PDB file of all heavy atoms in Angstrom:
ATOM      1  N   ASP A 456       2.716  47.378  13.638  1.00  0.00           N
ATOM      2  CA  ASP A 456       3.436  47.812  12.438  1.00  0.00           C
ATOM      3  C   ASP A 456       4.946  47.653  12.613  1.00  0.00           C
ATOM      4  O   ASP A 456       5.735  48.502  12.186  1.00  0.00           O
ATOM      5  CB  ASP A 456       3.079  49.275  12.098  1.00  0.00           C
ATOM      6  CG  ASP A 456       1.611  49.422  11.730  1.00  0.00           C
ATOM      7  OD1 ASP A 456       0.965  48.395  11.419  1.00  0.00           O
ATOM      8  OD2 ASP A 456       1.101  50.551  11.753  1.00  0.00           O
ATOM      9  N   VAL A 509     -12.637  23.916   2.280  1.00  0.00           N
ATOM     10  CA  VAL A 509     -12.599  23.379   0.920  1.00  0.00           C
ATOM     11  C   VAL A 509     -11.705  22.134   0.883  1.00  0.00           C
ATOM     12  O   VAL A 509     -12.080  21.091   0.333  1.00  0.00           O
ATOM     13  CB  VAL A 509     -12.073  24.428  -0.095  1.00  0.00           C
ATOM     14  CG1 VAL A 509     -11.942  23.804  -1.476  1.00  0.00           C
ATOM     15  CG2 VAL A 509     -12.990  25.642  -0.136  1.00  0.00           C
ATOM     16  N   THR A 532      -6.198   3.775  -0.746  1.00  0.00           N
ATOM     17  CA  THR A 532      -7.567   3.388  -0.413  1.00  0.00           C
ATOM     18  C   THR A 532      -8.483   4.614  -0.403  1.00  0.00           C
ATOM     19  O   THR A 532      -9.691   4.489  -0.404  1.00  0.00           O
ATOM     20  CB  THR A 532      -7.632   2.727   0.980  1.00  0.00           C
ATOM     21  OG1 THR A 532      -7.146   3.668   1.935  1.00  0.00           O
ATOM     22  CG2 THR A 532      -6.795   1.469   1.027  1.00  0.00           C
ATOM     23  N   CYS A 580       5.151  23.821 -13.531  1.00  0.00           N
ATOM     24  CA  CYS A 580       4.587  22.641 -12.877  1.00  0.00           C
ATOM     25  C   CYS A 580       3.129  22.845 -12.468  1.00  0.00           C
ATOM     26  O   CYS A 580       2.533  21.988 -11.825  1.00  0.00           O
ATOM     27  CB  CYS A 580       5.431  22.228 -11.675  1.00  0.00           C
ATOM     28  SG  CYS A 580       5.336  23.382 -10.325  1.00  0.00           S
ATOM     29  N   GLN A 610      19.948  28.503  14.307  1.00  0.00           N
ATOM     30  CA  GLN A 610      21.077  27.952  15.062  1.00  0.00           C
ATOM     31  C   GLN A 610      21.633  26.696  14.406  1.00  0.00           C
ATOM     32  O   GLN A 610      22.831  26.552  14.216  1.00  0.00           O
ATOM     33  CB  GLN A 610      20.652  27.636  16.505  1.00  0.00           C
ATOM     34  CG  GLN A 610      20.139  28.821  17.272  1.00  0.00           C
ATOM     35  CD  GLN A 610      21.143  29.960  17.311  1.00  0.00           C
ATOM     36  OE1 GLN A 610      22.334  29.763  17.526  1.00  0.00           O
ATOM     37  NE2 GLN A 610      20.655  31.158  17.066  1.00  0.00           N
ATOM     38  N   ALA A 688      -5.134  43.936  32.271  1.00  0.00           N
ATOM     39  CA  ALA A 688      -6.567  43.619  32.380  1.00  0.00           C
ATOM     40  C   ALA A 688      -7.144  43.319  31.002  1.00  0.00           C
ATOM     41  O   ALA A 688      -7.942  42.392  30.825  1.00  0.00           O
ATOM     42  CB  ALA A 688      -7.312  44.782  33.043  1.00  0.00           C
ATOM     43  N   LYS A 697     -10.723  33.345  25.315  1.00  0.00           N
ATOM     44  CA  LYS A 697     -10.210  32.177  24.587  1.00  0.00           C
ATOM     45  C   LYS A 697     -10.428  30.903  25.401  1.00  0.00           C
ATOM     46  O   LYS A 697     -10.787  29.862  24.857  1.00  0.00           O
ATOM     47  CB  LYS A 697      -8.709  32.339  24.321  1.00  0.00           C
ATOM     48  CG  LYS A 697      -8.331  33.384  23.305  1.00  0.00           C
ATOM     49  CD  LYS A 697      -6.887  33.117  22.893  1.00  0.00           C
ATOM     50  CE  LYS A 697      -6.181  34.319  22.333  1.00  0.00           C
ATOM     51  NZ  LYS A 697      -4.755  34.000  22.041  1.00  0.00           N
ATOM     52  N   PRO A 734      -9.257  26.528  39.889  1.00  0.00           N
ATOM     53  CA  PRO A 734      -9.162  26.736  38.443  1.00  0.00           C
ATOM     54  C   PRO A 734     -10.419  27.430  37.942  1.00  0.00           C
ATOM     55  O   PRO A 734     -11.527  27.106  38.370  1.00  0.00           O
ATOM     56  CB  PRO A 734      -9.061  25.312  37.884  1.00  0.00           C
ATOM     57  CG  PRO A 734      -8.483  24.511  38.996  1.00  0.00           C
ATOM     58  CD  PRO A 734      -9.008  25.124  40.263  1.00  0.00           C
ATOM     59  N   HIS A 746      -3.275  41.156  38.280  1.00  0.00           N
ATOM     60  CA  HIS A 746      -2.857  42.449  38.839  1.00  0.00           C
ATOM     61  C   HIS A 746      -1.918  42.270  40.025  1.00  0.00           C
ATOM     62  O   HIS A 746      -0.924  42.977  40.154  1.00  0.00           O
ATOM     63  CB  HIS A 746      -4.086  43.269  39.251  1.00  0.00           C
ATOM     64  CG  HIS A 746      -4.658  44.065  38.119  1.00  0.00           C
ATOM     65  ND1 HIS A 746      -5.830  44.782  38.221  1.00  0.00           N
ATOM     66  CD2 HIS A 746      -4.219  44.259  36.848  1.00  0.00           C
ATOM     67  CE1 HIS A 746      -6.078  45.387  37.068  1.00  0.00           C
ATOM     68  NE2 HIS A 746      -5.122  45.079  36.224  1.00  0.00           N
ATOM     69  N   SER A 785     -22.458  30.066  43.448  1.00  0.00           N
ATOM     70  CA  SER A 785     -21.792  31.293  43.023  1.00  0.00           C
ATOM     71  C   SER A 785     -20.982  31.021  41.760  1.00  0.00           C
ATOM     72  O   SER A 785     -20.845  31.891  40.905  1.00  0.00           O
ATOM     73  CB  SER A 785     -20.901  31.841  44.142  1.00  0.00           C
ATOM     74  OG  SER A 785     -19.642  31.235  44.139  1.00  0.00           O
ATOM     75  N   ARG A 802     -22.168  39.031  19.477  1.00  0.00           N
ATOM     76  CA  ARG A 802     -23.230  39.531  18.604  1.00  0.00           C
ATOM     77  C   ARG A 802     -22.977  40.967  18.160  1.00  0.00           C
ATOM     78  O   ARG A 802     -23.150  41.318  17.000  1.00  0.00           O
ATOM     79  CB  ARG A 802     -24.573  39.432  19.349  1.00  0.00           C
ATOM     80  CG  ARG A 802     -25.773  40.019  18.633  1.00  0.00           C
ATOM     81  CD  ARG A 802     -26.136  39.190  17.389  1.00  0.00           C
ATOM     82  NE  ARG A 802     -27.224  39.809  16.629  1.00  0.00           N
ATOM     83  CZ  ARG A 802     -27.068  40.807  15.764  1.00  0.00           C
ATOM     84  NH1 ARG A 802     -25.855  41.307  15.566  1.00  0.00           N
ATOM     85  NH2 ARG A 802     -28.085  41.311  15.114  1.00  0.00           N
TER      86      ARG A 802
END
Side-chain angles (χ1 to χ4, degrees):
Chain A
D456 296 343
V509 176
T532 59
C580 69
Q610 301 304 316
K697 289 196 203 176
H746 274 174
S785 85
R802 175 68 185 81

